Amino acid sequence: MSGPRDRRENGSSAAQVPDEKLTVKEVIGDLRIAPSTFYRWRRLGKAPRSIKLPNGDVRIRRSEYDRWLAEREDAA
């Protein structure tokens, strides 16, 4: 088991936080769009990169979503 002491011994003082995975529901809620819009964007390759789980659910890494939003900002 890894704890704060282990991180110090490895030379890392910052806590390692895994990249949060967002659900499609969370993303469409944040963007205020319909689910069909999000899935159309995915089909067209215009949505943020996502992870398709074995059960068919889709997740989007928080870092990828933030990067994707920043790109849209530049295009506005």
Side-chain angles (χ1 to χ4, degrees):
M1 213 167 152
S2 176
R5 182 178 176 188
D6 296 323
R7 283 192 285 275
R8 280 193 304 270
E9 289 172 359
N10 291 333
S12 174
S13 60
Q16 301 267 335
V17 178
D19 201 0
E20 178 185 13
K21 312 306 182 285
L22 303 171
T23 64
V24 171
K25 187 175 182 176
E26 290 171 322
V27 171
I28 65 173
D30 186 55
L31 295 173
R32 297 181 184 170
I33 59 171
S36 59
T37 300
F38 177 82
Y39 286 108
R40 185 176 71 245
W41 289 352
R42 272 192 84 208
R43 241 186 5 264
L44 296 171
K46 296 183 182 250
R49 290 179 53 203
S50 55
I51 303 162
K52 189 164 188 179
L53 302 175
N55 66 357
D57 286 353
V58 174
R59 297 289 184 275
I60 298 94
R61 293 181 202 280
R62 167 62 73 181
S63 60
E64 170 59 18
Y65 181 57
D66 291 342
R67 182 202 61 78
W68 181 83
L69 281 176
E71 280 184 2
R72 308 283 80 70
E73 201 172 292
D74 293 342

